Amino acid sequence: MDLTGRPPAIVHWFQRWSPDGEFEAAPAMVAQATGALPMLSWEPWQGLGPIVSGELDDYIRRFASDVAAHAEPVLLRFAHEMNLRGIHWHDQPGIYRAAWERVRAAFGEAGAGNARFVWSPYVADSNAVAFEPYYPGDAQVDWLALDGYNWGRRRRWSRWPSFETIFAGSLASLTRLAPDKPIMLAEIGCTERGGDKARWMRDALLEAIPGRYPAIRAVVWFNKDRPDHADWRIDSSPATLAAWRQTAADPRYSLTGSELLDL
């Protein structure tokens, strides 16, 4: 909060599937102490086959029971970016939907109604297949989401795309797919290499999203320096931090975690 000027509405972390693991409640408690909604990206690195076959049922049930015992709301982003080639849980759409339904059913049986399921594909991209066939259905999903990045010149194949270039087509497809669901950008970021990151941030967060994409109810910036990817942080430069602090002070981004939950 000292860095950004206001507390976050969503705090996001990642957790790999592990048959002997358990729900990490500590990050959720830290998030809730700030008034934020916790969002967990739950990554099945074993792939989807063991889920569909029932091999991991005990783990899923135990994890769901842990979430239920936590009692407070948790945004659960299961197997995100499923349409991205090369990700461990990229598979045929039917297998993905079957895995999602099995996981969601286990949470229902465990009484984990505090888990809100976030379906989060990657935007249309040369390395991504169409995401529509992976949609598990309105009854299975609470939030829609998209992941997308401006890689700038960080990759030899990339340029400096605008927010619209990255997101517009996929947002239109997402809205057609499930027009009554709230939408978030669950991962968004911009590199410093190849253009003006601060200007890109202002154009995206202060102009495009609130002005032309009112269906977007939440934005989660990927605030991490990844040497193998890029420096996505909001303070990767003084100019970038100033742009972020301007965004954080804008009343259009004033919803709290509990207010987002009401959506």
Side-chain angles (χ1 to χ4, degrees):
M1 185 171 73
D2 292 340
L3 184 66
T4 65
R6 59 156 292 173
I10 294 174
V11 172
H12 177 209
W13 78 102
F14 296 79
Q15 183 174 342
R16 290 190 180 197
W17 283 49
S18 174
D20 57 352
E22 58 185 19
F23 169 63
E24 296 176 356
M29 295 172 69
V30 170
Q32 285 152 357
T34 69
L37 270 177
M39 181 167 73
L40 168 61
S41 288
W42 197 23
E43 302 177 304
W45 282 70
Q46 297 91 338
L48 301 178
I51 300 174
V52 175
S53 70
E55 181 181 335
L56 296 175
D57 278 356
D58 288 345
Y59 167 64
I60 298 168
R61 293 190 191 104
R62 186 174 67 252
F63 198 97
S65 295
D66 289 345
V67 173
H70 178 69
E72 298 296 327
V74 176
L75 298 172
L76 188 65
R77 202 169 70 123
F78 165 64
H80 63 291
E81 299 179 2
M82 78 302 296
N83 61 320
L84 200 58
R85 296 183 182 94
I87 205 162
H88 282 72
W89 45 91
H90 175 67
D91 210 317
Q92 296 300 313
I95 295 174
Y96 177 85
R97 295 195 306 270
W100 180 287
E101 290 166 8
R102 196 174 190 97
V103 170
R104 182 87 198 226
F107 274 72
E109 292 165 4
N114 55 317
R116 312 298 169 86
F117 278 72
V118 181
W119 183 70
S120 187
Y122 201 80
V123 293
D125 182 88
S126 60
N127 196 41
V129 301
F131 56 70
E132 290 90 339
Y134 291 86
Y135 186 55
D138 289 352
Q140 296 281 328
V141 173
D142 299 303
W143 277 79
L144 302 175
L146 283 172
D147 293 0
Y149 292 85
N150 176 7
W151 288 86
R153 293 287 184 173
R154 190 63 180 84
R155 291 285 191 265
R156 60 182 177 80
W157 44 259
S158 62
R159 295 297 180 263
W160 188 262
S162 67
F163 174 86
E164 274 87 0
T165 299
I166 299 168
F167 283 99
S170 295
L171 282 166
S173 298
L174 205 64
T175 302
R176 288 192 298 268
L177 187 63
D180 298 325
K181 297 290 182 182
I183 295 174
M184 74 167 75
L185 304 184
E187 290 185 40
I188 180 174
C190 179
T191 181
E192 292 279 2
R193 186 181 297 181
D196 187 335
K197 179 174 177 176
R199 181 176 179 179
W200 191 93
M201 186 181 284
R202 288 191 176 95
D203 287 346
L205 301 179
L206 295 175
E207 299 296 331
I209 292 173
R212 296 188 287 280
Y213 299 96
I216 297 174
R217 306 299 182 86
V219 179
V220 184
W221 192 273
F222 189 77
N223 188 48
K224 190 173 180 63
D225 182 6
R226 287 278 303 271
D228 56 330
H229 285 180
D231 189 350
W232 308 112
R233 295 174 300 168
I234 61 171
D235 59 338
S236 55
S237 71
T240 297
L241 180 58
W244 182 266
R245 290 179 68 91
Q246 181 182 349
T247 301
D250 192 292
R252 293 172 295 183
Y253 288 96
S254 64
L255 288 182
T256 65
S258 59
E259 288 170 334
L260 283 175
L261 191 65
D262 291 338
L263 299 176

